[in-house]
Amino acid sequence: MGKTVEINPTTRHEGHTKLVLKVDDDGIVEKGNYLSVTPVRGFEKFLVGKPAEFAPIAVSRFCGICPIAHATSAVEAIEDACGIVPPKDGLLLRELTGLGNKMHSHPLHEFLIAPDFIPEKDRVEYITRIQQMRKTGQYIVDTIGGEAIHAPNIKVGGMLKSITPSAASKIYYKCKEFEKLAKEQVEYLIPIFENRTLVDGTEIPEKLGYHDFGYLATDSTYGNRENIEQKKVHEYTPYDVYEKEVAVQACTTIPRYNGRLMEVGPRARFAKFHDFKEKGAMAIHIARAYENVIHVKRAMEIIEELNVDGLTRAKDPILGDGEKLGLGVHEAARGHNTHQASIDEKGRITYYNAIVATTWNIPLIGKAVEGTHYKFAEHVVRAYDPCVSCATHMISLDYDNKVVNEKYFK
């Protein structure tokens, strides 16, 4: 007979989601649906008509976890639309700000999964290490970006200003400390993930989270619009993909690349740029732990390459033709993050759209829980570290629980 199992809400991630699972008599998931139920904010609509410079300020408010990723994607999209090329040192500072955000975000995820994997006797030391790592990541964003969360120094054309030699030295020193902690974290966590055992002794199924979909990533640490054919990206509505009773609750689009669902994030980057072959939910945790080391090494390279007296911002006017669709790509902590914008001859936004990292992963997570017992489904969700508020861009219900704008979904 089987039955439907609903896990609502899923926990220990940002935003509100639920799992709607069809399971057989043994509890094995035959069909998995993972959907956002976070309320829509409508950023992309209220940006139309606003000055282009307002976009990075506004979109960094998608949420407080990935503000740097969205501000960076926004300025990159506007620069592409307006033909602006930022100076080298401005781009280095921008990349370093993004690395600081990831050096804060990845350890935060490792904190959230502590109840699943970390024995009580180890937690104080484990969480202390994480908090020290997060402090360094946030220091980098605060120092270079101007604020620890919604960084005002990320500007169209580059960065508002450089940092002092003293600040550069301090960041480098803190990165050396971070590198030591990140390596300790790898040595501690990798055996746990490879053993596939929860803290209560429960063995995790070997193929938990396996799927045969593709990986999408454009750069190991920053983002590169040259490494994606955006014309192959198409967004579908929930009604195109889910059954009606599920689709009516979903608040995200379903993007596909060349017709295919794609995973984004740490494992996708590792598969693309480091020949990582491992599959399943545990492999995502492993890739994320290794990325902490890669991120801090790149941060130290940037400090060594940066000319703190160099030009940080292009002086070109922020004007477009109203037609060219600019593309901004940034590899956020959770993966491939794109914003698109058109700017008119008065410097105002005529079109804006964002396909953020978790938007890609949401439909794939539903598929990745299939084939194993539903009691493990939340472990698949948490492996992807979804940041759901960023991904929520559609509305299907009003406050009376009635469908609105149904014509868009048929």
Side-chain angles (χ1 to χ4, degrees):
M1 288 288 291
K3 61 181 180 180
T4 297
V5 174
E6 187 171 302
I7 301 174
N8 182 17
T10 54
T11 60
R12 284 189 268 142
H13 57 72
E14 199 284 331
H16 303 285
T17 65
K18 66 179 179 180
L19 286 158
V20 181
L21 311 172
K22 291 186 176 178
V23 306
D24 66 16
D25 292 339
D26 295 323
I28 304 300
V29 179
E30 295 178 327
K31 185 171 184 179
N33 292 305
Y34 178 62
L35 56 152
S36 162
V37 293
T38 298
V40 177
R41 285 76 45 81
F43 277 79
E44 289 142 310
K45 292 300 181 187
F46 76 65
L47 278 173
V48 174
K50 301 291 193 304
E53 299 96 316
F54 180 61
I57 298 170
V59 301
S60 67
R61 270 74 179 174
F62 277 2
C63 84
I65 307 296
C66 312
I68 308 306
H70 295 306
T72 302
S73 295
V75 294
E76 292 259 346
I78 295 165
E79 289 158 2
D80 188 36
C82 299
I84 298 171
V85 180
K88 175 186 173 183
D89 291 305
L91 287 174
L92 287 173
L93 287 166
R94 190 185 286 174
E95 182 180 355
L96 188 52
T97 312
L99 287 164
N101 181 224
K102 286 187 273 282
M103 289 162 63
H104 177 266
S105 185
H106 273 4
L108 174 61
H109 174 266
E110 290 170 348
F111 168 78
L112 293 174
I113 62 169
D116 297 332
F117 296 103
I118 309 303
E120 190 71 36
K121 65 181 179 59
D122 293 344
R123 285 189 190 171
V124 171
E125 182 180 358
Y126 176 81
I127 292 172
T128 299
R129 186 163 60 231
I130 284 173
Q131 294 298 67
Q132 290 173 330
M133 293 168 72
R134 293 181 67 214
K135 193 174 180 180
T136 294
Q138 205 72 321
Y139 176 82
I140 293 172
V141 177
D142 190 12
T143 302
I144 304 173
E147 286 185 13
I149 299 177
H150 301 122
N153 289 348
I154 299 174
K155 297 292 186 184
V156 177
M159 295 289 282
L160 182 63
K161 57 186 178 181
S162 190
I163 54 176
T164 66
S166 174
S169 296
K170 193 169 182 179
I171 288 173
Y172 191 88
Y173 171 74
K174 286 182 172 291
C175 283
K176 291 296 289 184
E177 290 181 326
F178 184 103
E179 184 181 35
K180 176 177 177 292
L181 296 168
K183 288 180 177 178
E184 289 177 7
Q185 196 77 331
V186 166
E187 291 177 3
Y188 180 79
L189 280 174
I190 301 305
I192 291 176
F193 297 142
E194 289 180 340
N195 286 338
R196 295 183 290 101
T197 305
L198 296 174
V199 71
D200 64 1
T202 303
E203 185 176 348
I204 294 174
E206 182 179 357
K207 294 188 176 181
L208 179 69
Y210 272 40
H211 66 75
D212 293 319
F213 300 105
Y215 295 129
L216 184 60
T218 63
D219 190 90
S220 176
T221 58
Y222 186 59
N224 187 345
R225 70 173 68 92
E226 303 299 325
N227 285 339
I228 184 172
E229 293 183 64
Q230 194 64 17
K231 64 183 180 183
K232 293 184 178 179
V233 176
H234 296 284
E235 290 182 274
Y236 296 85
T237 74
Y239 271 73
D240 296 325
V241 178
Y242 302 130
E243 296 173 358
K244 185 174 181 179
E245 63 269 24
V246 175
V248 74
Q249 305 169 69
C251 299
T252 60
T253 61
I254 293 88
R256 289 176 175 164
Y257 188 73
N258 215 15
R260 194 179 187 197
L261 293 178
M262 304 293 278
E263 178 181 317
V264 301
R267 180 172 53 184
R269 287 189 286 262
F270 247 53
K272 287 281 185 181
F273 299 104
H274 301 282
D275 198 30
F276 188 62
K277 303 292 187 187
E278 299 298 318
K279 300 179 69 175
M282 295 303 101
I284 304 176
H285 290 306
I286 290 171
R288 185 177 291 109
Y290 280 123
E291 272 207 331
N292 281 326
V293 179
I294 290 171
H295 289 156
V296 73
K297 284 186 174 179
R298 176 58 186 153
M300 289 188 289
E301 287 175 0
I302 290 175
I303 290 293
E304 291 175 340
E305 187 178 352
L306 178 70
N307 174 10
V308 295
D309 297 319
L311 184 66
T312 61
R313 189 178 183 189
K315 297 181 179 179
D316 306 73
I318 307 171
L319 303 175
D321 60 10
E323 295 184 1
K324 181 180 179 181
L325 189 58
L327 174 65
V329 179
H330 183 72
E331 288 294 328
R334 288 154 191 81
H336 177 77
N337 188 68
T338 60
H339 288 213
Q340 290 178 283
S342 293
I343 311 300
D344 68 14
E345 65 278 3
K346 295 181 179 178
R348 294 189 176 273
I349 298 166
T350 58
Y351 173 82
Y352 204 93
N353 188 49
I355 306 177
V356 313
T358 294
T359 314
W360 286 98
N361 282 337
I362 278 180
L364 192 139
I365 291 170
K367 297 296 181 185
V369 303
E370 295 176 356
T372 51
H373 197 282
Y374 71 83
K375 71 179 182 181
F376 294 105
E378 277 203 274
H379 294 292
V380 176
V381 172
R382 282 199 279 275
Y384 284 88
D385 190 19
C387 190
V388 185
S389 290
C390 301
T392 300
H393 296 274
M394 292 188 64
I395 188 166
S396 56
L397 297 177
D398 63 14
Y399 288 111
D400 296 322
N401 219 30
K402 296 177 181 177
V403 177
V404 295
N405 289 332
E406 190 170 4
K407 62 183 179 182
Y408 293 134
F409 305 121
K410 289 185 175 178

